[in-house]
């Protein structure tokens, strides 16, 4: 079957989608957006987290056909999404990027010689920068899902308590960091966000 | 496989009548796991996401009419006062991502003995409104669970909404698991005080082939509270009453040994949860009594 939905503000279409296929599979294998990770395919790890009409969900548990006509934001569009939110919807989000990130632009997140350690060479969202600055990334497999979940937390709660952060990230597993640096990163992003307001 | 996307409730009923083997998919948090792991290859998937009314709720005089697809996160946010037990239970489900998608209709559809909505629904008291092209009927929650992961739905029926009694007293939900998030219950206990009818209702999860009520414990407690005049006096429940309530609750459990826990541990834990949740709810009931007296003064 054919599915149509908006990814990072741009209308996308995929053909020959199997009816039982997940949104995650369509994003990764049919649209060339491998930022959302596939680790468990059963909702346990959160590495496939995307925004579906604004809400963080496990894209491995959404049937692609259920996403028909929806607005999706993936980690590849997070920088544009955050910028768009600051520029156009201060204090909230529209669940999409009104302008849009093309697949071409989104795919620039594939490593191609820029310094992957510091994120130089690409525009980063504040939460992405904070993850780098706080040393919250080790193998990086959990990172895209955590970034999407953490960014959504900061959108709805500008100064989250530690309990709020733990709750918001409770659906995202990390096998490397021990989580402390991840909490640091979210606190850092929240503090920077307050400074700029 | 075919993917059916009815735009309205009537279309969904027609589709289910035409294809009784079609598997409804709401949040997909049970269905997609089965498909991803090749445990299930349904001929038809019947997507319910376009049917807006399934995600709505209505607070009436006596009941909350909860649409089958209202996600747990919405219950936690909006129905804490009307459905405190279900809101607490919802909060223990999985993770924010899962709670944004999964809901009570799917929990009832799966009818797992470990489903967190069930003890809260049994304790609050409710009826499940199901419909097919043949008509609609209300299934009392006590008659809904018919076996391990089996429910009273006919092949052509869909769950429309659940008519849940609005809380008329304190409610609690307690769940044993290895950590706070992303845990399937080792066992669980829900309790609701109903001061209007002077009854207490309970629900037990993961400790029998289906979700059950601790009926003997309820009957004992209702009689003891009545006899001792506890509902009027709001005095502290005598420890011996609480103890017997806990023992009877534990006795009504019929658990198994599995990877999450042993039968004897579950039986023990059900008793502990019964005593604790009774203590918590009774304390709030007593508190309400005090504040209403102070309010008058
Ligand atoms: C990682 C993870 C953790 C989980 N943790 C918990 C937990 O802690 N507690 C818990 O209770 N559950 C848990 N679950 C299970 C699941 O999230 C719940 O059972 C949830 O309530 C299912 O709702 P859904 O809308 O996603 O159902 P779906 O997957 O869409 O459907 C579930 C079943 O119900 C049927 N169905 C759905 N809607 C209807 C309808 N309107 N009429 C008739 N049939 C219908 C479907 O055909 C299917 O058989 C977990 C799942 C995952 C993946
Ligand atoms: S891949 Fe979706 S939650 Fe793990
Ligand atoms: S950094 Fe490796 S899983 Fe989190």
């Amino acid at each position: 079957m054919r599915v149509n939905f908006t990814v990072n503000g741009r209308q996308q279409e995929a053909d020959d989608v199997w009816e039982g296929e997940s949104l995650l599979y369509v994003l990764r294998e049919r649209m060339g957006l491998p930022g959302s990770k596939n680790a468990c395919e059963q909702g346990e790890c959160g590495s496939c987290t995307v925004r579906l009409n604004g809400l963080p969900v496990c894209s491995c548990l959404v049937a692609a056909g259920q996403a028909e006509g929806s607005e999706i934001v993936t980690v590849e569009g997070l920088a544009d999404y955050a910028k768009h939110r600051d520029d156009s919807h201060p204090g909230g989000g529209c669940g999409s990027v009104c302008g849009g990130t093309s697949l071409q632009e989104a795919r620039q997140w594939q490593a191609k010689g820029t310094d992957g350690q510091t994120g130089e060479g690409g525009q980063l969202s504040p939460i992405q920068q904070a993850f780098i600055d706080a040393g919250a990334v080790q193998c990086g497999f959990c990172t895209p899902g955590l970034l999407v979940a953490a960014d959504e937390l900061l959108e709805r709660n500008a100064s989250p308590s530690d309990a709020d952060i733990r709750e918001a990230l409770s659906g995202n597993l990390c096998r490397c960091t021990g989580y402390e640096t991840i909490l640091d990163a979210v606190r850092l992003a929240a503090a920077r966000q307050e400074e700029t307001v | 496989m075919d993917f059916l996307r009815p735009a309205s409730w009537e279309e969904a009923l027609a589709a289910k009548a035409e294809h009784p083997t079609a598997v409804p998919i709401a949040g997909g948090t049970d269905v997609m796991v089965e498909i991803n792991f090749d445990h299930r290859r349904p001929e038809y998937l019947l997507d319910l996401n376009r049917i807006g009314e399934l995600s709505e709720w209505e607070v009436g005089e006596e009941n909350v009419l909860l649409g089958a697809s209202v996600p747990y996160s919405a219950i936690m946010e909006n129905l804490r006062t009307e459905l405190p037990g279900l809101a607490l239970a919802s909060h223990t489900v999985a993770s924010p991502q899962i709670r944004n998608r999964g809901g009570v209709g799917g929990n009832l559809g799966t009818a797992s003995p470990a489903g967190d909505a069930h003890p809260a629904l049994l304790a609050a008291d409710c009826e499940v409104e199901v419909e097919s092209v043949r008509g609609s009927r209300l299934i009392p929650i006590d008659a809904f669970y018919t076996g391990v992961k089996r429910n009273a739905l006919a092949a052509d029926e869909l769950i429309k909404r659940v008519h849940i009694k609005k809380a008329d007293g304190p409610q609690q939900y307690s769940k044993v698991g290895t950590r706070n998030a992303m845990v399937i219950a080792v066992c669980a206990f829900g309790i609701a005080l109903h001061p209007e009818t002077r009854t207490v209702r309970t629900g037990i999860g993961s400790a029998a082939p289906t979700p059950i009520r601790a009926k003997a414990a309820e009957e004992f407690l209702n009689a003891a509270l009545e006899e001792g005049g506890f509902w009027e006096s709001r005095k502290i429940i005598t420890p011996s009453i609480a103890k017997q309530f806990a023992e009877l609750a534990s006795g009504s459990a019929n658990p198994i040994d599995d990877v999450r826990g042993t039968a004897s541990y579950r039986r023990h834990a059900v008793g502990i949860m019964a005593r604790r949740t009774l203590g918590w709810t009774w304390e709030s009931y007593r508190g309400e009594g005090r504040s209403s007296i102070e309010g008058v003064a």
Side-chain angles (χ1 to χ4, degrees):
Chain A
M1 65 178 177
R2 170 179 288 184
V3 296
N4 291 279
F5 41 73
T6 305
V7 185
N8 301 323
R10 294 279 177 95
Q11 191 65 37
Q12 307 295 351
E13 176 178 299
D15 275 318
D16 299 322
V17 172
W18 175 61
E19 287 70 19
E21 208 162 291
S22 69
L23 171 59
L24 176 63
Y25 189 93
V26 170
L27 290 169
R28 288 178 57 86
E29 310 297 335
R30 301 198 186 274
M31 293 178 176
L33 297 175
S36 313
K37 296 292 177 252
N38 177 2
C40 73
E41 286 199 293
Q42 54 178 317
E44 296 273 352
C45 74
S47 60
C48 64
T49 303
V50 302
R51 302 273 296 264
L52 173 66
N53 295 328
L55 296 175
V57 303
C58 297
S59 59
C60 69
L61 298 184
V62 177
Q66 293 187 289
E68 179 73 31
S70 332
E71 301 271 356
I72 318 272
V73 177
T74 70
V75 71
E76 288 96 340
L78 203 57
D80 283 345
Y81 175 71
K83 185 165 188 316
H84 171 73
R85 175 174 59 207
D86 283 350
D87 295 348
S88 314
H89 310 276
C94 64
S96 182
V97 188
C98 306
T101 312
S102 70
L103 284 184
Q104 216 55 44
E105 290 164 308
R107 289 194 194 118
Q108 54 103 9
W109 290 101
Q110 283 160 12
K112 47 173 189 204
T114 54
D115 182 350
Q117 296 290 307
T118 57
E120 282 163 27
Q123 192 68 44
L124 294 178
S125 67
I127 190 69
Q128 287 169 311
Q129 191 61 53
F131 264 61
I132 291 169
D133 296 342
V137 183
Q138 287 190 25
C139 81
F141 209 79
C142 65
T143 311
L146 275 160
L147 288 170
V148 172
D151 181 70
E152 191 267 348
L153 167 68
L154 295 175
E155 177 177 305
R156 103 188 115 70
N157 182 349
S159 40
S161 66
D162 279 6
D164 295 334
I165 301 173
R166 283 172 186 275
E167 164 94 29
L169 304 185
S170 61
N172 296 78
L173 295 183
C174 172
R175 297 304 297 270
C176 301
T177 64
Y179 300 102
E180 281 307 323
T181 50
I182 293 172
L183 296 180
D184 288 343
V186 181
R187 289 186 205 112
L188 179 63
R192 285 178 178 164
Q193 186 171 287
E194 295 219 310
E195 276 167 27
T196 58
V197 173
Chain B
M1 197 187 285
D2 258 337
F3 198 85
L4 310 171
R5 294 195 78 227
S8 69
W9 179 242
E10 289 67 31
E11 272 182 52
L13 294 179
K16 189 70 172 127
E18 193 180 341
H19 311 289
T21 58
V23 173
I25 177 168
T29 62
D30 280 320
V31 172
M32 285 304 286
V33 174
E34 292 187 315
I35 292 178
N36 289 345
F37 284 79
D38 230 339
H39 294 156
R40 199 167 189 176
R41 273 280 175 279
E43 253 183 294
Y44 299 94
L45 273 179
L46 179 62
D47 177 28
L48 301 177
N49 281 190
R50 289 173 76 197
I51 305 168
E53 62 196 280
L54 291 182
S55 304
E56 292 166 5
W57 66 87
E58 208 180 301
V59 178
E61 273 297 293
E62 290 193 357
N63 292 324
V64 174
L65 304 185
L66 183 74
S69 302
V70 175
Y72 292 116
S73 49
I75 299 174
M76 287 159 55
E77 252 170 62
N78 303 292
L79 294 166
R80 213 169 270 271
T81 317
E82 297 82 0
L83 306 175
L86 186 63
L88 285 168
S90 299
H91 202 163
T92 74
V93 173
S95 64
Q97 287 94 327
I98 303 285
R99 294 195 293 266
N100 280 334
R101 295 286 296 162
V104 170
N107 217 233
L108 288 168
T110 301
S112 157
D116 282 302
H118 313 313
L121 293 176
L122 285 164
D125 196 6
C126 65
E127 292 177 310
V128 184
E129 182 181 343
V130 304
E131 197 169 333
S132 70
V133 289
R134 295 175 291 121
S136 89
R137 59 183 179 129
L138 288 173
I139 307 174
I141 192 68
D142 286 303
F144 188 81
Y145 310 106
T146 54
V148 183
K149 298 201 172 183
R150 300 178 69 88
N151 61 35
L153 283 189
D156 61 348
E157 284 176 328
L158 293 173
I159 303 169
K160 187 173 190 184
R161 50 193 184 176
V162 190
H163 300 223
I164 312 171
K165 286 243 165 67
K166 263 163 64 178
D168 59 318
Q171 303 184 347
Q172 269 294 344
Y173 184 75
S174 180
K175 171 173 172 180
V176 176
T178 41
R179 56 193 195 115
N180 271 334
M182 206 61 103
V183 148
I184 299 180
V186 175
C187 54
F189 195 86
I191 191 168
L193 306 190
H194 298 284
E196 278 171 17
T197 49
R198 299 197 171 177
T199 51
V200 175
R201 282 177 64 109
T202 60
I204 303 180
S206 282
T210 66
I212 52 166
R213 280 167 66 197
K215 284 221 176 100
E218 290 178 16
E219 279 160 23
F220 160 76
L221 184 63
N222 290 339
L225 294 180
E226 195 61 57
E227 203 172 304
F230 285 92
W231 289 107
E232 304 82 46
S233 68
R234 296 182 194 250
K235 64 187 175 201
I236 293 179
I237 292 183
T238 333
S240 64
I241 296 181
K243 185 157 173 275
Q244 188 156 0
F245 173 70
E247 276 166 14
L248 288 166
S250 172
S252 57
N254 179 19
I256 53 164
D257 292 327
D258 69 9
V259 288
R260 298 202 301 276
T262 62
S264 72
Y265 174 77
R266 286 191 159 104
R267 226 176 263 120
H268 178 71
V270 165
I272 303 281
M273 288 189 292
R275 186 165 49 73
R276 281 190 193 155
T277 52
L278 174 62
W280 295 335
T281 45
W282 195 259
E283 243 342 277
S284 345
Y285 178 62
R286 301 183 67 218
E288 284 166 17
R290 280 196 291 274
S291 55
S292 66
I293 292 165
E294 279 158 21
V296 173

